[in-house]
Amino acid sequence: MTIQLYNTATRRKEVFEPLDPDNVRMYVCGPTVYDRAHLGNARPVLVFDVLFRLLRHVCGEDAVTYVRNFTDVDDKINATALARKEAGADGTLEELVAERSDETIGWYHADMDALGALRPSQEPRATQYIVQMVAMIEDLIGKGFAYAKDGHVLFRVREYDKYGALSGRSVDDMIAGARVEIAPYKEDPMDFVLWKPSDDDLPGWDSPWGRGRPGWHIECSAMAYDLLGDTFDIHGGGNDLQFPHHENEIAQSKCAGHGFARFWMHNEMLQVEGKKMSKSLGNFFTVRDLLDQGVPGEVIRFVMLSTHYRKPMDWTEKKRAEAEKILRKWYAQAIQAVGTGEPYFGVTNALSDDLNTAGAIAELHQLSLAEDFTALRHSLQFLGLMGDEAPEWAVPKGFDFMDYVDALKASRRAAMETKDFAIVDRLKSGLLAAGVEVRMTKDSVDLLPGPNFDPSKLEGLL
């Protein structure tokens, strides 16, 4: 199978040929772990989870290394830890920072697991790679691409002549259009921080430039190099990271002599009911908020995947309701599957065309209409929309719709000859009373459990 991916660096769709088919390597920028993941944070997780699944399907499960980091060095994490310390919490500041990070990482894992996302191959924490960051910074200083002043180390942006190529901006345009920090320790307003000093009230590590902590951008460069090598296949993240984070990663990694990423992939942002998600508009919510409101993780995933990753994704209540309805029908069909199988080739073909998840979902609709339940089941599982069994919110455990489907088909065949539809009507009425939508055509019977489905009300119906 030929995979084509849109490469932000070249602004075109390209055939993806891994450097080493037996060791496909992907790095995705992960969360800063200071609070719950909001709905927008989930989009890159799901986008690159689908890519991870596709690469494993094509190249082999053991042939793909997916790294997604945790940024656990951050002023917001520090502020929370300081507040806890001032409130009388036991432990040093470093211990309280670690405690907050552990807590937030636990939340993140629980929320993303609920959305059906596979865990990456490796999930490094920034604090575990300080030595590697210091070594890379020393190398950049030695080569003249960085300088130390007043306990800070900064990268000389104008020394890298390709700066801005990823985002398509010139340095002067960036200065004119961005809020850059003017500081006495900077040679140029565009220079960015590789290392900054820490006082006694902040976490810090010893370095050649004094006690301090790394800047955000150096973290990903150092971790990617240590875990994936000099050059790797794919670097991904949201398009809000394209500048300055990814631009800065490229500059410092290239100047350190590394090949870095060959393909750059960026997902578009998320909206809510057509508007940017923000606390001021009252439309800001976390993944956990939705889960706690009873929105199933599979439904969140379905809505997210219904829009191509390079298009803005709009979360609406209408889409949520429709997704739940569709999934209930598909699960009721999927549990009727027999035997083993593979995901339908139409689904994998759609994904191989720059992760066309909307196209893949269109193929699921066709499988449902064709009543190819085995292909539907394995395709749902491949897309992370179903586990070994249908989720209990949609199909109560142990419940089998086939007995009712067969009974309806048999009673209808008999009624067509006798013209007595009393049994058919009794079965339909009983199913409707139990919260099951009955869809009958000349050739098929579909039973769709609704949100109020109560299997106990079906006792004695057959």
Side-chain angles (χ1 to χ4, degrees):
M1 177 181 292
T2 299
I3 297 175
Q4 292 193 84
L5 300 172
Y6 184 85
N7 189 350
T8 308
T10 59
R11 292 168 178 74
R12 66 173 183 267
K13 199 185 295 186
E14 300 177 357
V15 173
F16 174 70
E17 295 179 350
L19 288 162
D20 179 357
D22 296 323
N23 184 21
V24 184
R25 287 158 287 166
M26 176 169 69
Y27 186 96
V28 175
C29 291
T32 300
V33 288
Y34 64 88
D35 207 345
R36 287 277 189 186
H38 61 68
L39 190 61
N41 297 144
R43 194 173 193 199
V45 173
L46 297 183
V47 166
F48 293 102
D49 178 67
V50 172
L51 180 55
F52 185 36
R53 291 168 181 268
L54 178 65
L55 292 172
R56 282 160 44 108
H57 177 73
V58 174
C59 302
E61 288 191 7
D62 297 328
V64 184
T65 301
Y66 171 21
V67 176
R68 186 182 66 217
N69 72 295
F70 287 116
T71 293
D72 56 349
V73 184
D74 183 78
D75 290 341
K76 291 180 180 178
I77 303 171
N78 297 342
T80 301
L82 280 169
R84 289 183 175 183
K85 189 171 181 64
E86 290 168 359
D90 294 331
T92 65
L93 183 62
E94 284 79 4
E95 289 170 341
L96 292 173
V97 166
E99 179 184 283
R100 177 60 171 174
S101 297
D102 290 344
E103 176 183 49
T104 311
I105 289 171
W107 293 343
Y108 187 83
H109 276 148
D111 293 349
M112 297 309 126
D113 289 351
L115 302 187
L118 300 174
R119 298 281 180 93
S121 313
Q122 299 189 59
E123 295 181 287
R125 298 190 189 195
T127 52
Q128 299 169 334
Y129 289 81
I130 301 296
V131 171
Q132 291 88 335
M133 295 175 205
V134 169
M136 182 174 281
I137 294 170
E138 286 186 299
D139 181 59
L140 289 169
I141 291 175
K143 291 175 177 175
F145 292 109
Y147 58 94
K149 188 173 181 182
D150 299 338
H152 294 79
V153 181
L154 296 107
F155 183 87
R156 290 188 173 103
V157 166
R158 293 185 189 272
E159 288 297 313
Y160 180 57
D161 60 6
K162 293 183 180 178
Y163 192 85
L166 182 72
S167 54
R169 315 179 193 186
S170 71
V171 174
D172 291 331
D173 286 344
M174 292 183 210
I175 291 175
R179 290 178 292 178
V180 293
E181 181 187 12
I182 307 297
Y185 50 79
K186 283 189 173 187
E187 294 178 355
D188 186 295
M190 280 300 293
D191 293 349
F192 60 86
V193 172
L194 300 173
W195 188 266
K196 52 190 172 184
S198 292
D199 58 29
D200 293 338
D201 291 331
L202 292 171
W205 292 262
D206 292 333
S207 79
W209 320 286
R211 184 175 179 275
R213 59 197 192 279
W216 175 34
H217 313 299
I218 196 69
E219 296 174 14
C220 289
S221 285
M223 287 186 282
Y225 176 62
D226 191 81
L227 295 170
L228 298 178
D230 181 87
T231 307
F232 54 95
D233 295 295
I234 298 168
H235 194 314
N239 68 356
D240 57 326
L241 299 181
Q242 192 172 324
F243 177 82
H245 185 50
H246 290 165
E247 202 74 76
N248 291 352
E249 277 189 75
I250 292 171
Q252 63 203 9
S253 294
K254 292 285 190 179
C255 290
H258 305 156
F260 211 46
R262 296 170 58 243
F263 276 74
W264 285 86
M265 296 179 65
H266 295 91
N267 63 272
E268 258 286 358
M269 294 296 98
L270 174 135
Q271 299 175 326
V272 175
E273 302 290 348
K275 297 178 181 179
K276 182 178 179 181
M277 188 168 69
S278 71
K279 292 180 179 178
S280 62
L281 292 176
N283 65 353
F284 179 94
F285 44 87
T286 67
V287 172
R288 181 52 50 180
D289 289 336
L290 287 179
L291 294 171
D292 288 347
Q293 290 166 19
V295 181
E298 296 88 353
V299 169
I300 298 172
R301 186 181 182 97
F302 183 97
V303 175
M304 289 271 195
L305 299 187
S306 297
T307 300
H308 191 273
Y309 78 95
R310 287 195 290 114
K311 294 181 179 179
M313 192 256 135
D314 192 16
W315 174 273
T316 68
E317 177 58 26
K318 181 179 179 181
K319 287 182 180 179
R320 183 212 61 75
E322 183 65 19
E324 185 170 329
K325 186 176 180 180
I326 291 168
L327 286 174
R328 285 183 185 277
K329 175 184 177 181
W330 288 354
Y331 293 143
Q333 293 178 320
I335 62 173
Q336 302 173 42
V338 293
T340 59
E342 292 287 323
Y344 179 55
F345 73 89
V347 170
T348 53
N349 278 354
L351 296 182
S352 70
D353 182 13
D354 194 31
L355 291 190
N356 184 2
T357 52
I361 287 174
E363 294 290 341
L364 296 182
H365 281 287
Q366 294 303 313
L367 292 173
S368 172
L369 288 171
E371 299 188 352
D372 190 343
F373 300 152
T374 300
L376 177 64
R377 181 189 186 103
H378 292 290
S379 298
L380 284 166
Q381 291 172 331
F382 175 68
L383 282 168
L385 290 167
M386 180 176 170
D388 292 336
E389 303 293 336
E392 198 158 351
W393 63 263
V395 181
K397 197 166 186 178
F399 187 81
D400 188 357
F401 279 99
M402 281 307 296
D403 292 340
Y404 297 90
V405 169
D406 291 343
L408 270 173
K409 286 181 176 178
S411 61
R412 184 175 60 180
R413 282 196 300 270
M416 294 299 290
E417 295 181 6
T418 64
K419 306 304 179 185
D420 181 359
F421 286 85
I423 295 177
V424 175
D425 292 339
R426 182 179 66 82
L427 287 172
K428 286 176 64 177
S429 296
L431 287 162
L432 291 169
V436 181
E437 182 181 345
V438 181
R439 297 179 180 178
M440 299 180 68
T441 67
K442 180 180 178 182
D443 301 314
S444 68
V445 172
D446 273 333
L447 301 181
L448 177 61
N452 299 315
F453 174 52
D454 183 356
S456 66
K457 293 183 178 179
L458 293 174
E459 291 179 10
L461 185 62
L462 295 181

